[in-house]
Amino acid sequence: MYQAVIGMELHAQLLTQSKMFCGCSADYWEAPPNSHVCPVCLAMPGVLPVINAQAVEQTVRTGLALNCQIALWSVFARKNYHYPDLPKGYQISQYELPLCHDGSLLIEGDDGQPKRIGIRRAHLEEDTGKSIHVDGASLIDLNRAGVPLLEIVTEADLRSADEAYRYLVKLRTILRILGVNSGDMEKGAMRCEVNLSLRTAEQAAIGQYGVKVEVKNLNSFKAVRDSIAYEIRRQTALLDSGGQVRQVTMGWDENRRCTVVQRSKESSEDYRYFPEPDLPPLELSSEWVEALRATLPELPDARAARYVGDYGVSARDADILTTERDVADWFEEAARAYAGSPQEVANWMIGQLFALLKAEEGDIAALPIRPADLADLITLVDRGAVNRNTGKKVLEQMVVTGQPPAAIVEAQGLAQVSDETGLAQVIDTLLAANAGEVAKYRAGKTSLLGWFMGQVMKQTRGQAQPDLVRSLLLARLDQ
Ligand SMILES: [Zn+2]
């Protein structure tokens, strides 16, 4: 058994109007190739970059939301490397003095307890252009070159694929609430890198680490989870057979569902970082930073605390319900529409609705039903109009058809049989047809009550009110 030691880097495109160091529009999606470019982002000789104030503001707000220290004095640096989609031959980034550092994010750990994931740094840099390969030719589109990128780097605090997944989901929620990133991974607005090593318990005890492998360009949270799980399996098998892990950079092959070696790992020395000579150090005032802090919106942890305090929802459920904003909004709307305890709404959402969504790989925002429809369904169950099991089936149909619960109950005759006379007839017929079982029951085999109950439920297609069936049965059997 090995312990996985995992760190994450997330690159998030900021939702600024213009690019990081020039006035070109940063909203390049579906624009004709090379239409959002100027001498600065085309890297013409003699041009000078100008720092985008909106990108700085969005980065500082993110840093504050991630409990980071904000550097009032930070420095941009040149990261030198050659690549066709990088016309300058270097990327302006931050290296030794990032804008935000030493923060944290709370997630649910694998043991179900809250776990603090350290945020080592969050810094600003610029995106590269895009190479497009068609018919043996390579084309370059520089619309993306210079779009502001926020890089968020964790400490190696994650221990499993699931923890990494939960970290990303919560981080994306925070970025969306702040309005700094679209969260749109299909459009490349968020890209992830994972670094991972395995170590034995003995190594862990003396603070040693195994050899680290990097997996780059992960374009979905699922790819992150799958590639981590794969690497843990691969490295475990390798170490178990006496092999050694090589320090390499890998990619994730979605079709073959495995990691593939891309190159041997480069070290920071390879990039020859040095302070960007064309930009002054970035100086911020603490008053400005504090003013931003005062305007931060309600973040997931605060929202969870409010659900516990205002709605009486359990702490664990409150965490689950606030990790994604759409889910949190949905819960709150349903809880307001429902007259009973909000915890009941939480139970139905987490216990039933999430299972249905998971089975369909669906998204709560795309559900054809409204939160008030769930509130109506729970009310029908509370009133005894349908029993809980029928209620679950009605919810399944609501999710598929988008029909309100009352219409489904009505159309399918699912209303609970709570009419005593009707039930009594069913029971009398049943007992008359099973005189032998009745005799056994009366002779002391009282466990047969469950069998009688089951028969009645079967004959009423599960719609009888169980408490009523039980009392009617007992009244007759114990005569
Ligand atoms: Zn430009």
Side-chain angles (χ1 to χ4, degrees), residues 19-25 36-43 142-143 145-146:
K19 291 187 181 180
M20 188 61 228
F21 299 113
C22 64
C24 294
S25 164
H36 288 215
V37 291
C38 73
V40 173
C41 54
L42 287 173
L142 293 174
N143 282 349

Side-chain angles (χ1 to χ4, degrees), residues 20-21 37 113 134 146 165 199 210 250 286 296 298 312 327 376 392 399 449:
M20 188 61 228
F21 299 113
V37 291
Q113 297 301 310
V134 276
Y165 187 85
R199 61 179 176 180
M250 310 187 97
S286 55
L296 285 180
E298 184 183 47
V327 172
D376 289 346
K392 290 177 191 172
V399 167
L449 179 65

Side-chain angles (χ1 to χ4, degrees), residues 370-391:
R370 301 300 318 141
D373 296 325
L374 177 66
D376 289 346
L377 174 67
I378 307 173
T379 307
L380 287 178
V381 175
D382 291 345
R383 288 210 325 255
V386 292
N387 66 28
R388 188 166 280 267
N389 271 327
T390 307

